[in-house]
Amino acid sequence: MKKEFKLTKERFEELQKEIMFLKTVREREVAEQIKEARSFGDLSENSEYDEAKNEQGKLFSRIAEIENILSNAVLLEYGQGNPDAVAIGATVTVADVETGDQEVFTIVGTQEADPIHGRVSDESL
């Protein structure tokens, strides 16, 4: 069974833009780095070539990761469902009963989680 990635439309579009950038601009930049490094001579002792090839590997890895996310994405529309239930898209306020301090969190899919900015994954325990 393939893992589904719960995304908002906005996050889906951000990933589409990122993959387009990686496949066009960034891929050309890395190819140019490899070409330039090859011109330095012996590849067996060429650290610039090794670094460029490592960068190419990271690039292809990120492209594959994004393609996997996009092909298994489930687009979410927030604001649907029971307004009293805590589910993806819900905004919840958590209060410390002793101090009265309150924090507000939005429940999001794992790809959009950012606890520092109050966005908590639906898979958090």
Side-chain angles (χ1 to χ4, degrees):
M1 185 171 155
K2 291 183 179 180
K3 178 171 174 55
E4 292 181 341
F5 297 95
K6 299 169 189 166
L7 304 173
T8 60
K9 181 181 177 189
E10 293 79 19
R11 180 65 178 151
F12 186 84
E13 290 171 356
E14 285 174 12
L15 289 173
Q16 286 180 316
K17 287 178 185 175
E18 181 180 351
I19 200 165
M20 183 63 69
F21 171 79
L22 294 176
K23 285 183 167 184
T24 56
V25 175
R26 189 66 186 132
E27 199 168 330
R28 279 193 297 261
E29 290 173 350
V30 171
E32 187 60 36
Q33 288 175 348
I34 292 171
K35 181 180 175 184
E36 184 178 329
R38 280 187 179 158
S39 70
F40 296 146
D42 185 9
L43 298 182
S44 65
E45 296 181 16
N46 187 332
S47 64
E48 289 87 357
Y49 179 77
D50 291 340
E51 182 62 32
K53 289 301 279 185
N54 285 338
E55 187 64 29
Q56 184 182 48
K58 290 177 193 176
L59 172 67
F60 290 155
S61 177
R62 179 64 180 153
I63 289 171
E65 178 184 20
I66 295 172
E67 286 176 339
N68 181 46
I69 293 168
L70 293 176
S71 67
N72 294 297
V74 175
L75 294 181
L76 304 173
E77 291 192 28
Y78 294 159
Q80 295 179 338
N82 182 351
D84 296 325
V86 175
I88 291 180
T91 299
V92 296
T93 302
V94 179
D96 184 324
V97 292
E98 292 179 16
T99 65
D101 292 342
Q102 293 185 348
E103 289 191 58
V104 177
F105 297 98
T106 302
I107 310 302
V108 296
T110 57
Q111 290 295 310
E112 298 181 68
D114 186 0
I116 293 173
H117 294 102
R119 298 175 64 83
V120 179
S121 166
D122 65 319
E123 294 182 9
S124 297
L125 297 176

